[in-house]
Structure formats: C-alpha cells, structure tokens
Amino acid sequence: MSVKINSQNCIRENSRWVFALFGTSDLVRFVQAVLAAVGLASIGVVFYAWEIKDPRDWGLAFGALAITLVLTVIVWVLKAFPRPKPATTISIPEKSAGSRPSSAKRTSGSTIDFTAVESPSNAYESGKKDLKQNDYLGAAPAGPSFALVMGVSLTRCGGDPAKFQPPPSYGELSKPEKDAVSLIYTGLFGSARDVHEIISSIHGAKLFEPVFMLFKEAEKYWGLKSADPDTSILQRVIEENRQPVQVFKKTEFNGAGMIVPYAMQIVEIIVEEGGMPSVEESKTTRAEIKSTEPVTLLRAPRLNGVFWEGARSWFGGLPRLGNQAWPRTRKTKTPMAFLTQIDLAHFREIGGSDLLPADGWLAFFLDGDGRECSVLHIDSVDLPARTPPPPDAIRNWHWFGRHGVATDFLYGPPSKFELPYFPIDLIKAGLCSNSDIQTAIASINMHAPLQMNGPSKTLVNEATSETAIFFGHTAQHLAAVLRIAAGKTGDLIKKKAKYVSEEQRIELEQAEPRFISLCQEIDLWSNAIPLYSILPTEDAERLKEYFIKLQANEFDGFMQGNRLLKGNLLLSTYFAFYASSDDVFRLLPKTIQSELSENRRLPAGHWHQMFGAGFDIQGNASFEHANDHMLLQLCYDDIMGWRFGDVGVFQFWISPKNLKKRRWDKVSVTFEGH
C-alpha cells in the first residue's frame, strides 16, 4: 500500500522513513512541545495536591516541574547554536532592473542556471541530475527540484527507500505523473495565488493540505517570509538574493523537512485520480454531484408483516455475497465487519440515481479501526444465500468510541461476529447540496419521525415506572456489569488509597469481599434464567432487592462509572429485543413494540443516507471530497451498536470517474465526530 502523509496519518506505513525525513528544527519543536505539556501537567498536579493536602504529590510535581524547566533551557541553548552547513551553498546576485539573471555563481565556483527551473520538465530533469551527481541535495542549480523526482520515484516504490529505483526521465512519466510534477512545480516555485487557483478549481481539499504545505516548506527552504500573493517564490528568491537555509545529504535524507513527503502525497492523489481534470471538467463533476438526489435508509417497521428474515436490503447480520470472498484488510488480512447490503433494483424503483447499476447488491464492510473499507457489487438477480463469516473472524472493532460497560454481553461473546440485523426501507429524501437541514428533516419526517434527543419519553417512562416488566436479559446484563466491576476492586482500592483517608481505605478493604460475594450471587442467580424471557414475579422482586443492595453506601466506591439504574438496563433490553426474532420482540409490552417499530426507525438526530450531502461535522471530509460522490453515510446508532465516537459518522466516497467504471475498490472512507 502506498504511503499517505497528512495531519492524521504522517507516513504510518514506514516509521523509519518519518524519522529520516524530519529535520532537526522539527525535532526541537517537538521536544519543546512535550516539555511544555509535562510542565503544565506538573502545575496541575501541584494544585491537585494542594487541594487534597497530600505532601507526597507536592514533591513529585515540583520535581517534575524543575526537571522540565532545566531540560527546556538546555533545548533552547542547543537551538541557539547555528547548524553547520556544507560548503556547497548558493550565492545569487541581485536581479538587474528589467531583466532576470540567467545564471549566478556558487561559492564553490560552479554556475547556477535559473533557466533549469523555468518549466516543470526542465526542473524535473535538473532535479534528476542533482540526485545523480551531488552528495548534498538542494545546493545544485535546481534548488529543491529534487522533490519532483523523489516524489514520483518514492511513490512508485511504495514509499520504501530500500526499493528506490533509478528515476525515469520526464518523457517516461505517465500523464498523471506529469500532471503531479506540474503541480509540485507550482508549489515549489509558483505564487500563493497560483496555488490557490489550482487547488480550489480542480481537486479541492484533497490537494489543499499537501500543496499548501509544500508551498510553505519551499518558503522555509529559502528563508522567505509571507509576501504579495501574486509574486512567485522563484521571483522572490532572485529579488531577495536568497540562499537555501539548509541542504542535506541525500544518503541520510536529513534536513529536507516535509518537502518530499508532501510531494509524494501529491503524486499519489493525482495518480489515484487518473490525472488532473481541467477546470471545466471539475465544474461539470461538481454540478453532477450536487444534482444527485439523496436516498435515506431507515429500519423497516416490525408490525406490518414485513418479511423479516428475507429482506432484500438490511443492516447488520450476515451478508449474501454469492461466490465472492469475505473482504479482509490489506495488511493484516483480518476479516472486516459487515455493515449493510443494499438492493440496487429497489434503489432504482424508489427513484434513486441511475449512476448505480440497475440490479444486484452493494455490500459495505469496515475494518476494526475504521480506516479501511471494502465495497462489493454482488451481480445477481436472485437473493444469494447468507455468507458465513470466516473461521478466524472475531469481533475486534471499536470505531473510535466505547461500546458500553458490558460489550461482550450486549453484542455477543468475541466469537460472535455479526451486528444486530434489521431490514431496510429506502426513501427518496434526505440532505442534498441545494437544501438546508430543516428542509431535509421535513422530507424525512413525512415517512418516519426523527427523534432528535435519544430515547423517547414513552421508552423512558416505561423503563422507569414502578410497574416495569423485567426480563432475563436485564438480569444477565446486570450480572455482566458486575463481573467487570468485581474484577477491578483491587486496583480501585490501590488507586484510591493515594488520596483518601486511612479510615476510608480500611472501609473499602472491609467492603470488598462483601461486594464480590454479592456480585457472584447475582451472577449465579441470573445464569439460571433464560435470556429471552419475562421474569416471574418472584425473580422480579429479587432483582429489585439486588438493585437496593447495590446502592448501599459501602459499595458506592466500587460502582463509579457503572450505570446501574434499572431504566438504563431496561432500555438496553428493549433495544436488544427489537433486534431479535419476532417471538422475542413480541415479549415486549405492546406500547414498547409500537414505539420502537414506528418511532425508532432512524438514529437519534441523524440518518443513514446514500448520495446527496453528508453531515458536515468538522468540515474536513466534505471539503476533501468536494469532487466525490458520497456513496453511503452511516451514523451513530445505538440500536445497531454503532457507537461511532462522539455521535460521529462514517462516510464512503467514490469519484464520478471510478463510479462510472464500477471501480468499487477505489471507494474510501472518512470518519468525523463531535
């Protein structure tokens, strides 16, 4: 897999390449930032120690603060010494009035010819000559042109310097590579306005970060400060008689800052896109994206006789892949988690975009870290059989958020791989580029009510009422929570012993065996109760007694962070039964069945959607993919067990070009949360 460089993923695939590329000044700034963080943390500990009157923490905090200050002084002193430069530095005469000098002298006596960088092709060939002939890069006539060559060559070898091959000539480059060289050239030698016009009119923010940062790195390379946006770097270098601030030894790649990594990212993006579109092509693409109407995905109602087990579109459960293999991650070959499968014929029937195939299914998968996705097109008229998960499939996803206090119980043991199963209805509604959020909500509410703030009053009132019905699931959920709490009592006592009084510590130690004994009693009792059953009156009363015992003051220290209110446990039971078979679902009270079936068909405050405009939480995903279709958006959904960060969304993107070619392997995924 090729190397990505951006603010979230700075060459994750090759850590040694990261350290090779960072310059000393960057390392100093990093150390300074770490020391500042340690110093602030030490000050915080001092105030904390003062509040709880514990001299032991005072000494620790003041000691850490003193060490931080000493190290900070040392770092600043080291930074004050100038870094030695090789003797091969550039000396450029001032520009004469009305003309640009065609050559200049280097201190070692060789000639600098600025015609070598007057075009992308010339700069590329000059950079290639620099790599071949000089031990120190950046001191040759072409300045930072080596980045043009290294950006292409390192991208070709997947970012691994050990696989670096002799660079091709400019004429041997593919068209996308030549497009990338031209854009890198603009970043290295052009003006701020040149950079802005290109990235705003063609590939949007996919290239915004690498091109803009390459431009800033080029300014840093020459020691330039911000200037007139219409004046190019090349012109400023000549007018200000600039020399490179640093050159670096090519065998060590040390001192290049981020010039080469950003050049690599530019090459990678443009090659991936198949070249740079023209401005007109880009305008046509964006118009097509804005005109594509959205389709909202919502859970099918359970009380209208829907064919629950034979749905043609569904969330969770198992996919139906025909003869296709279950997708795995590229590096670790770990089976991905199945999210949803959409019937494309039904998508067309309800008026969905004709950009998708007319029949078959699209199945969506996501890896455990939420950074890699897979989309498969199942080209079949008949509904295939369910595809069992691979033998080595385990539930290993976390998706930037916590799954609750008893994950194994709520979503099955680690061997249970699938998520809750729900048939899907498709409706032609949602958020599009030409509408606002209120218009979108109104269009969706015509089909199903959108709950804006968590569980409805109906669910909460039933779960917290004195006459609430309890279930075997509720009792076993409670036992699962307590198993976790009982396993942490020893560590909790050690932690609290640092700041509670001796008397309080002794009380905790004395209460520990009684708490563990009560947890074991509840565990033993609950395991004898069928999971999907209504508790008899006797067991229901016993469960209520356990709730009362657990609220005792002596156990309060062991229950911090565990939400043991019966209402919370019952809400989890309602959601679990909602996602189960018909006979289990109908164990719920009629009011709860009706509420879930009619009013919980959508996630709280959000909705799942295909095409149109996605939820713009942080502004990055939509900005980076301004020229891409949002193929699918999946939101935080507690009923599905999709606890995506802090009410976040995953969005699957594909370019119009790849969509037309049915290149489902080119779909990418982004995540944003609050």
Side-chain angles (χ1 to χ4, degrees):
M1 188 171 87
S2 53
V3 177
K4 301 263 186 199
I5 301 120
N6 54 45
S7 58
Q8 290 79 30
N9 179 16
C10 189
I11 325 181
R12 288 191 184 91
E13 309 296 333
N14 241 309
S15 58
R16 60 193 175 119
W17 183 229
V18 175
F19 291 110
L21 285 171
F22 273 106
T24 302
S25 60
D26 296 281
L27 181 60
V28 169
R29 284 193 292 271
F30 173 74
V31 173
Q32 289 169 347
V34 171
L35 292 175
V38 173
L40 290 174
S42 302
I43 294 172
V45 174
V46 170
F47 281 107
Y48 175 72
W50 179 263
E51 286 293 325
I52 65 172
K53 310 300 183 186
D54 191 338
R56 291 173 296 180
D57 285 333
W58 298 351
L60 176 64
F62 280 120
L65 187 59
I67 293 173
T68 303
L69 292 174
V70 171
L71 291 176
T72 302
V73 171
I74 294 174
V75 170
W76 280 108
V77 169
L78 289 176
K79 188 180 179 183
F81 286 97
R83 191 177 179 197
K85 301 178 184 178
T88 53
T89 56
I90 301 174
S91 177
I92 305 171
E94 293 186 10
K95 176 184 176 184
S96 57
S99 65
R100 188 182 70 183
S102 61
S103 65
K105 294 291 181 180
R106 198 163 42 149
T107 55
S108 58
S110 62
T111 301
I112 294 177
D113 185 359
F114 270 89
T115 59
V117 295
E118 285 187 330
S119 70
S121 58
N122 288 350
Y124 180 90
E125 292 297 343
S126 299
K128 182 181 174 185
K129 186 183 298 183
D130 187 8
L131 280 171
K132 182 178 181 180
Q133 296 180 351
N134 299 301
D135 291 330
Y136 287 92
L137 300 177
S145 292
F146 58 84
L148 300 168
V149 185
M150 293 177 70
V152 171
S153 298
L154 284 170
T155 301
R156 284 190 171 193
C157 68
D160 186 353
K163 299 178 181 179
F164 191 88
Q165 298 294 322
S169 66
Y170 182 81
E172 295 172 329
L173 300 181
S174 65
K175 182 184 180 303
E177 288 174 333
K178 288 181 179 178
D179 289 346
V181 166
S182 295
L183 188 53
I184 296 170
Y185 174 83
T186 301
L188 291 175
F189 298 106
S191 68
R193 194 172 302 281
D194 293 335
V195 170
H196 179 268
E197 288 180 355
I198 290 175
I199 60 182
S200 63
S201 61
I202 299 186
H203 274 304
K206 275 188 184 179
L207 288 167
F208 177 83
E209 181 182 7
V211 176
F212 176 77
M213 294 307 297
L214 181 69
F215 179 81
K216 301 307 290 184
E217 287 292 321
E219 287 186 320
K220 188 190 303 182
Y221 173 85
W222 292 108
L224 295 169
K225 296 182 179 180
S226 298
D228 177 8
D230 292 313
T231 305
S232 69
I233 287 179
L234 187 59
Q235 183 178 346
R236 289 155 64 189
V237 167
I238 298 170
E239 290 177 348
E240 298 177 24
N241 194 20
R242 288 287 176 172
Q243 300 177 6
V245 173
Q246 291 178 330
V247 295
F248 65 100
K249 198 171 183 178
K250 65 182 179 183
T251 55
E252 297 176 355
F253 298 113
N254 186 27
M258 291 296 290
I259 285 181
V260 173
Y262 286 129
M264 287 173 60
Q265 190 177 0
I266 292 168
V267 175
E268 188 174 59
I269 291 172
I270 294 178
V271 170
E272 178 79 10
E273 295 293 329
M276 289 280 286
S278 66
V279 173
E280 287 304 316
E281 288 174 330
S282 184
K283 289 181 179 179
T284 301
T285 295
R286 293 188 182 186
E288 175 188 295
I289 292 170
K290 288 184 177 181
S291 65
T292 306
E293 295 189 60
V295 169
T296 293
L297 286 58
L298 64 163
R299 284 181 280 274
R302 294 212 64 168
L303 298 177
N304 64 351
V306 64
F307 188 29
W308 193 254
E309 296 299 326
R312 297 185 66 84
S313 296
W314 63 96
F315 294 128
L318 293 172
R320 298 174 182 264
L321 303 180
N323 59 0
Q324 297 193 59
W326 193 292
R328 294 173 177 268
T329 57
R330 285 187 285 268
K331 287 197 70 177
T332 63
K333 307 303 179 185
T334 304
M336 294 185 180
F338 168 68
L339 300 175
T340 185
Q341 188 160 331
I342 307 300
D343 179 12
L344 298 179
H346 185 206
F347 182 86
R348 285 286 187 93
E349 288 171 8
I350 59 102
S353 171
D354 59 3
L355 295 173
L356 291 178
D359 48 36
W361 285 263
L362 283 184
F364 293 81
F365 295 79
L366 192 64
D367 77 329
D369 293 325
R371 303 181 186 279
E372 185 178 342
C373 68
S374 180
V375 177
L376 300 180
H377 178 226
I378 296 87
D379 189 7
S380 172
V381 176
D382 299 322
L383 187 66
R386 286 190 177 89
T387 302
D392 59 335
I394 59 172
R395 181 180 49 75
N396 66 346
W397 55 83
H398 42 85
W399 296 329
F400 309 106
R402 296 180 179 178
H403 285 266
V405 292
T407 307
D408 287 351
F409 175 76
L410 291 175
Y411 303 108
S415 59
K416 185 181 179 183
F417 191 58
E418 63 265 28
L419 290 156
Y421 166 84
F422 276 98
I424 293 176
D425 275 348
L426 305 178
I427 59 171
K428 192 175 180 182
L431 183 63
C432 60
S433 301
N434 300 317
S435 69
D436 58 29
I437 189 72
Q438 295 304 321
T439 302
I441 291 174
S443 68
I444 292 172
N445 276 332
M446 294 175 62
H447 303 270
L450 180 63
Q451 301 286 342
M452 297 305 294
N453 296 305
S456 65
K457 288 184 178 180
T458 301
L459 294 177
V460 173
N461 290 341
E462 178 67 28
T464 56
S465 71
E466 291 297 325
T467 59
I469 298 173
F470 292 99
F471 302 86
H473 182 281
T474 316
Q476 291 195 26
H477 187 182
L478 172 62
V481 174
L482 294 176
R483 281 196 297 271
I484 296 173
K488 296 180 178 179
T489 55
D491 291 338
L492 189 144
I493 291 174
K494 290 180 181 178
K495 183 178 180 181
K496 288 195 172 186
K498 296 179 180 180
Y499 57 85
V500 300
S501 66
E502 183 68 12
E503 181 181 356
Q504 290 174 315
R505 182 188 63 78
I506 293 173
E507 288 176 355
L508 281 171
E509 291 178 346
Q510 291 175 345
E512 181 184 18
R514 291 193 293 273
F515 176 73
I516 293 176
S517 176
L518 179 60
C519 293
Q520 291 172 343
E521 178 185 332
I522 295 173
D523 196 11
L524 184 63
W525 165 74
S526 66
N527 284 335
I529 301 173
L531 181 66
Y532 298 116
S533 66
I534 298 175
L535 288 185
T537 303
E538 181 181 350
D539 283 328
E541 292 301 319
R542 187 171 181 178
L543 180 59
K544 292 178 183 179
E545 290 177 6
Y546 283 139
F547 276 121
I548 295 172
K549 289 182 179 180
L550 288 166
Q551 302 305 318
N553 289 336
E554 66 171 336
F555 297 151
D556 182 59
F558 301 119
M559 298 308 302
Q560 292 182 357
N562 291 307
R563 303 172 67 191
L564 282 182
L565 297 175
K566 69 173 185 178
N568 292 328
L569 295 174
L570 272 174
L571 285 174
S572 295
T573 295
Y574 296 161
F575 293 163
F577 281 30
Y578 182 27
S580 299
S581 59
D582 279 341
D583 57 336
V584 172
F585 175 65
R586 295 184 188 282
L587 292 175
L588 294 171
K590 294 292 185 182
T591 54
I592 300 301
Q593 291 183 37
S594 178
E595 177 66 20
L596 291 172
S597 179
E598 297 173 8
N599 297 328
R600 286 308 301 260
R601 299 174 63 190
L602 292 160
H606 295 80
W607 56 87
H608 311 302
Q609 181 176 306
M610 298 182 72
F611 293 102
F615 289 110
D616 193 7
I617 296 177
Q618 295 179 349
N620 295 330
S622 59
F623 189 47
E624 291 176 0
H625 293 276
N627 281 8
D628 293 337
H629 285 290
M630 187 184 73
L631 187 59
L632 176 68
Q633 171 181 270
L634 295 177
C635 304
Y636 184 105
D637 192 335
D638 50 3
I639 291 177
M640 285 302 305
W642 293 344
R643 286 168 169 79
F644 300 157
D646 187 5
V647 195
V649 296
F650 279 105
Q651 293 166 333
F652 296 74
W653 304 90
I654 188 169
S655 69
K657 183 183 297 185
N658 287 324
L659 180 56
K660 290 175 183 176
K661 293 180 179 180
R662 308 307 190 213
R663 292 296 307 273
W664 310 114
D665 59 314
K666 297 297 185 181
V667 176
S668 62
V669 65
T670 59
F671 170 79
E672 287 188 343
H674 292 85

